[in-house]
């Protein structure tokens, strides 16, 4: 099941919990993929809320054709903040997966109003540490995007419909990749060198000058640039896209986001 949505903070919270398979934690309080990520299998009927599974409902105006999907896992989540799209408001492309048999109904479930609090690219403006040199901390952004990939593996059969007995996340790998649209200038001109040398780097983007006090932001301590750095001309100047994969030095978070 795929969906493209404008991402409000209420929806973002439950989606990040399921995408990572863990609840909110840490300092600053947020959602994270840690370096020791090894989730236990989820048994049929296990408690655990949004971290275990989500229900997805596709409403239909035709009587009896509303579809309910139980036991859904958010296996891919792409969150994008782009200056050219709605002033940098967050959007998300979602891919859910379920091996449970869908059901059909005539009565739609109880719903609540969609959230009205949104996040924007401009809110990353206070703290923008990026790269391996002090000069690289002074950057101009026109895009931030991150992709959380956390596959689900299903085992066993039970019940009259042959639904799975166990779901395991992170098989074969849970990962986070990011794309940054960055102005090409003297402070960022050496990113091609980092790519060619395979140099690890990190980033901190936040609405607060101190990361520990962030109420909105994202951070990774170890990343590697995964694609060629090629500046290109735009109406706003020369920008380049930096694609990175978040890795780990064996301690701490691979990636943390505060929403």
């Amino acid at each position: 099941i795929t969906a493209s949505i404008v991402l409000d903070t209420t929806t973002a919270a439950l989606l990040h919990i399921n995408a990572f398979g863990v609840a909110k934690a840490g300092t600053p309080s947020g959602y994270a993929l840690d370096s020791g990520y090894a989730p236990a299998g989820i048994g049929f009927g296990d408690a655990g809320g949004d971290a275990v599974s989500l229900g997805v409902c596709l409403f239909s105006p035709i009587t009896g054709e509303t579809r309910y999907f139980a036991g859904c896992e958010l296996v891919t989540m792409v969150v994008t903040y782009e200056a050219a799209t709605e002033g940098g408001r967050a959007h998300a492309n979602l891919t859910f997966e379920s091996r449970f048999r869908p059901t059909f109904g005539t009565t739609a479930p109880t719903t609540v109003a969609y959230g009205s609090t949104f996040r924007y690219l401009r809110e990353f403006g206070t703290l923008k540490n990026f790269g391996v040199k002090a000069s690289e901390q002074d950057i101009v952004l026109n895009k931030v995007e991150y992709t959380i990939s956390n596959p689900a593996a299903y085992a066993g059969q039970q019940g009259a419909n042959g639904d799975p007995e166990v779901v395991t996340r992170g098989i074969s790998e849970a990962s986070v990749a990011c794309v940054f649209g960055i102005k090409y200038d003297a402070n960022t001109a050496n990113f091609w060198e980092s790519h060619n040398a395979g140099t690890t780097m990190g980033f901190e983007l936040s609405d607060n000058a101190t990361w520990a006090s962030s109420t909105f932001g994202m951070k990774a301590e170890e990343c590697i640039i995964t694609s060629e750095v090629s500046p290109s001309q735009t109406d706003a100047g020369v920008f380049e896209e930096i694609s990175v994969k978040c890795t780990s030095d064996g301690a701490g978070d691979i990636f943390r986001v505060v929403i």
Side-chain angles (χ1 to χ4, degrees), residues 158-181:
Q158 55 81 38
N161 297 321
D163 294 328
E165 294 179 84
V166 178
V167 182
T168 304
R169 303 301 301 273
I171 303 296
S172 59
E173 179 190 30
S175 64
V176 178
C178 305
V179 179
F180 303 95

Side-chain angles (χ1 to χ4, degrees), residues 124 144 146 178 180 203-205 211 217-219 255-257:
F124 289 122
V144 172
Y146 59 89
C178 305
F180 303 95
F203 62 83
E204 294 177 345
L205 303 176
W211 168 252
M218 52 189 287
K219 177 181 180 179
F255 177 83
R256 174 172 291 273
V257 57

Side-chain angles (χ1 to χ4, degrees), residues 191-253:
F191 280 136
W192 70 271
E193 296 177 355
S194 298
H195 173 251
N196 290 347
T199 305
T200 58
M201 56 203 307
F203 62 83
E204 294 177 345
L205 303 176
S206 173
D207 63 348
N208 194 286
T210 303
W211 168 252
S213 299
S214 298
T215 59
F216 172 65
M218 52 189 287
K219 177 181 180 179
E221 297 180 3
E222 296 283 336
C223 301
I224 189 166
I225 297 177
T226 55
S227 63
E228 193 67 37
V229 180
S230 300
S232 60
Q233 180 70 38
T234 70
D235 291 341
V238 178
F239 278 77
E240 56 191 4
E241 286 203 347
I242 309 296
S243 299
V244 305
K245 180 176 181 178
C246 301
T247 60
S248 173
D249 61 0
D253 300 325

Side-chain angles (χ1 to χ4, degrees), residues 44 99-103 156-165:
F44 178 79
R99 294 295 172 85
F100 289 84
R101 182 180 179 180
T103 59
Q157 285 192 329
Q158 55 81 38
N161 297 321
D163 294 328
E165 294 179 84

Side-chain angles (χ1 to χ4, degrees), residues 12-259:
L14 67 91
L15 293 175
H16 280 83
I17 289 172
N18 189 260
F20 287 126
V22 292
K24 193 172 184 177
T27 302
S29 185
Y31 309 91
L33 180 66
D34 66 48
S35 59
Y37 185 69
I42 303 166
F44 178 79
D46 279 359
D50 298 331
V52 171
S53 67
L54 297 173
V56 176
C57 179
L58 303 182
F59 294 96
S60 173
I62 302 172
T63 300
E65 293 299 323
T66 293
R67 286 176 285 177
Y68 305 86
F69 296 85
C72 291
E73 308 298 339
L74 182 53
V75 294
T76 306
M77 180 178 184
V78 183
V79 178
T80 304
Y81 303 83
E82 193 160 11
T85 303
E86 296 183 22
R89 184 161 66 165
H91 286 69
N93 292 324
L94 314 170
T95 301
F96 298 94
E97 186 176 287
S98 177
R99 294 295 172 85
F100 289 84
R101 182 180 179 180
T103 59
F104 295 80
T106 57
T107 303
T110 301
T111 60
V112 296
Y114 201 78
S116 58
T117 302
F118 304 99
R119 293 298 196 180
Y120 292 84
L121 178 67
R122 62 179 180 267
E123 295 180 76
F124 289 122
T126 303
L127 177 65
K128 292 188 289 186
N129 290 343
F130 199 107
V132 293
K133 297 181 180 179
S135 63
E136 293 165 351
Q137 296 180 16
D138 186 14
I139 61 173
V140 177
L141 291 167
N142 68 2
K143 176 182 178 179
V144 172
E145 178 180 286
Y146 59 89
T147 300
I148 304 169
S149 298
N150 192 356
Y154 301 83
Q157 285 192 329
Q158 55 81 38
N161 297 321
D163 294 328
E165 294 179 84
V166 178
V167 182
T168 304
R169 303 301 301 273
I171 303 296
S172 59
E173 179 190 30
S175 64
V176 178
C178 305
V179 179
F180 303 95
I182 294 177
K183 181 178 177 291
Y184 179 81
D185 54 27
N187 293 331
T188 62
N190 63 307
F191 280 136
W192 70 271
E193 296 177 355
S194 298
H195 173 251
N196 290 347
T199 305
T200 58
M201 56 203 307
F203 62 83
E204 294 177 345
L205 303 176
S206 173
D207 63 348
N208 194 286
T210 303
W211 168 252
S213 299
S214 298
T215 59
F216 172 65
M218 52 189 287
K219 177 181 180 179
E221 297 180 3
E222 296 283 336
C223 301
I224 189 166
I225 297 177
T226 55
S227 63
E228 193 67 37
V229 180
S230 300
S232 60
Q233 180 70 38
T234 70
D235 291 341
V238 178
F239 278 77
E240 56 191 4
E241 286 203 347
I242 309 296
S243 299
V244 305
K245 180 176 181 178
C246 301
T247 60
S248 173
D249 61 0
D253 300 325
I254 294 174
F255 177 83
R256 174 172 291 273
V257 57
V258 180
I259 57 175

